[in-house]
Structures are given as structure tokens and as C-alpha cells.
Amino acid sequence: MSTTPHLAFDDYLAISRLYSEYALAVDSGDWDLWPEFFTEDCTYKLVPRENHERGFPLATLLFESKGMLKDRVYGIRETLFHDPYYQRHVVSAPVVLAASENRFEAQANYAVFRTKLSRESTVFNVGRYIDVIERTPAGLKFATRLCVYDSEMIPNSIIYPI
């Protein structure tokens, strides 16, 4: 385990808020909020743990710009047909692995629960976020969000952001 980098309390608090507010936004169903957590030139990738650990490039989802995230929002609203469901994120406290004045590398574990209408809640996706966070004039934003999920088995589709 690496040593914790020197990090100002205000920066750690801002990183923690970024993680919490992200979960709140994606659980709210107000999809326009989601892309605003990212820099313009960002990467959002959802990948199984086995592929990540073996260095395989295959991803379940891969978006390489804020524009692509906005296209996904359009798809969620206008073109994807699916059984509606709610999701709820539980995210651990982030661990900051590297810090500089305007860039942070952090990780956190997550569990996403899914509730379909008239059904019980189930565990939907579990894994960890591996993030690069940048300081911008608008506050901290994800430059890279890698969602590494633990199970090789996932539902037949992942509609909403993890």
C-alpha cells in the first residue's frame, strides 16, 4: 500500500463532495446533471475487473468526451426502451493516491442497487471507481472515471451511468 500524499483538508473535502454529489445526481434521474461532473476532454469507461487486471481494452461502455456523455443522455431519454428502474449508489470514502496542485488520483468502492417498479431491490453492480480529477474554474471535475465492476456477469443492458 502506498503512503497517503500530502493533501489539504479543503481539497479532500471537495473530492468527497464530488463523489457524493455524483451519486446523488445519477440516482436522481436528472440525466442532464451527469455530464457536468466531467471535463470537456474526458473518459468514462465501464469495464469488468478481469479485463482491467489483464490489461484487455474491451469495455462494456466507453465515452471519450463530454459530448459523448451528452449523446448518452439523449439516448437514455429518447431512444433506449427498457423496463424503468431506480438506482441507488452507496460509495465509500475516496482514497486519494496522488495529489498535485490541479490533479488528483483517487479510488472509491461502490455498490449500485436497482429497484424495478413493483419489485424488490437487488444488487445491480459492485466495484470500484478509479479516477483522475482535475481542478477547473468550475471546481473539481472527473477527467477520467474508470468503473471497474467485480462480476463478469451483468444484466443484459446497463442503461444508466454507474
Side-chain angles (χ1 to χ4, degrees), residues 101 115 117 126 147:
E101 186 177 343
T115 305
L117 305 177
V126 175
C147 309

Side-chain angles (χ1 to χ4, degrees), residues 3-23:
T3 60
T4 303
H6 176 72
L7 186 65
F9 178 76
D10 287 346
D11 286 334
Y12 185 76
L13 184 60
I15 291 166
S16 296
R17 283 192 63 99
L18 180 67
Y19 277 79
S20 298
E21 289 172 358
Y22 177 94

Side-chain angles (χ1 to χ4, degrees), residues 81-106:
F81 296 99
H82 63 282
D83 249 356
Y85 62 90
Y86 302 107
Q87 64 181 20
R88 184 74 51 210
H89 286 68
V90 177
V91 181
S92 72
V95 175
V96 178
L97 303 171
S100 65
E101 186 177 343
N102 293 316
R103 186 176 185 272
F104 306 93
E105 294 176 22

